Amino acid sequence: MRVRRIARETLDDLAEDDPAAMRSRLDLRRVHRAMGTQAMLLRALLSMNHRQRGRATLRVLELGAGDGSLMLGVAQALAPVWPKVELTLLDAQALIRPDTVARFAQLGWRAVAEVNDVFDWAAGSRDPRLMDRAPQRWDLIVTSLFLHHFEDEHLAGLLEAIAQRGERFFATEPRRAGLALAASHLVGLLGANWVTRQDAVLSVHAGFRDQELSALWPDVGHRWQVQEYPAGLFSHCFLAQPLERN
């Protein structure tokens, strides 16, 4: 599995209200639990919170947010210790329910759902018509099981836009390795439907290893310091933050 193999996943082509798609999104919650995604996000956000101590409000953007359930679990764990948060949940489909937004509000997080293609969002950071105004920025941009959908050429452009508009960035992705591939063939044991079973295998083939994301991140060693590492049994993490100056 030395080379990434990207193939369009079945869920990407199903309508929002397709029963198989709705079931697959529920399956993804089980997959996140099995991979320990929430714990990885918690560690990253708590690390950033230490550096941002004293800020009245933190601005967070999740790319490929889906139905918002993963970040809601993170918010529930962080609410006792975090300041107020303005959260943007960006996804190509309108999957965020009003009751999910209300549950964020109960925790002191102001959540806004943005329905947009991620590359349209990225293009906005380079739109010459917007050069006369300050671009919208976030203290932290996060994403989970999302970057592996894209070929390196498109991914490099997306990462450049993230670097322009975020103070820090954290991603968890499938690890492209034998153990993860074997586990992807067993997601049916979690009760996953046929869509999730197919897509899990494709996700691992398109996943990451070694320093593949670092090689695509702009200006490493000048403005940014990056960390890229395996996590848990099946995940691959990437963290980018400003280079500390002496």
Side-chain angles (χ1 to χ4, degrees), residues 57-230:
T57 302
L58 292 175
R59 305 189 68 234
V60 180
L61 167 67
E62 183 182 13
L63 299 176
D67 63 5
S69 58
L70 176 63
M71 191 56 69
L72 179 60
V74 171
Q76 290 168 334
L78 287 179
V81 295
W82 257 47
K84 292 182 179 179
V85 173
E86 292 182 358
L87 173 65
T88 302
L89 298 160
L90 186 144
D91 199 272
Q93 294 184 317
L95 302 175
I96 308 294
R97 294 160 47 111
D99 62 312
T100 300
V101 174
R103 292 175 69 185
F104 276 112
Q106 292 171 357
L107 300 169
W109 290 40
R110 180 177 176 271
V112 176
E114 179 178 342
V115 180
N116 197 2
D117 179 86
V118 71
F119 290 102
D120 290 338
W121 171 86
S125 65
R126 299 184 292 272
D127 190 335
R129 295 171 298 178
L130 303 179
M131 292 303 179
D132 61 343
R133 71 179 79 166
Q136 191 173 15
R137 293 186 60 81
W138 286 268
D139 297 301
L140 176 65
I141 298 177
V142 300
T143 190
S144 301
L145 305 187
F146 184 65
L147 299 181
H148 70 275
H149 288 91
F150 310 117
E151 299 280 358
D152 287 358
E153 179 182 358
H154 298 109
L155 186 53
L158 176 57
L159 294 178
E160 181 180 0
I162 291 170
Q164 290 176 0
R165 301 178 69 177
E167 294 298 321
R168 287 177 174 80
F169 174 61
F170 180 73
T172 64
E173 292 294 323
R175 187 191 311 168
R176 198 172 74 256
L179 180 60
L181 182 61
S184 71
H185 285 282
L186 300 175
V187 295
L189 297 177
L190 300 176
N193 74 348
W194 65 273
V195 174
T196 308
R197 294 196 300 271
Q198 288 185 355
D199 288 353
V201 176
L202 296 176
S203 294
V204 174
H205 282 294
F208 300 95
R209 57 186 297 169
D210 303 325
Q211 301 298 303
E212 291 173 333
L213 288 168
S214 300
L216 298 173
W217 187 263
D219 205 20
V220 173
H222 294 89
R223 180 188 168 196
W224 296 93
Q225 58 182 355
V226 300
Q227 300 174 49
E228 190 167 357
Y229 52 92

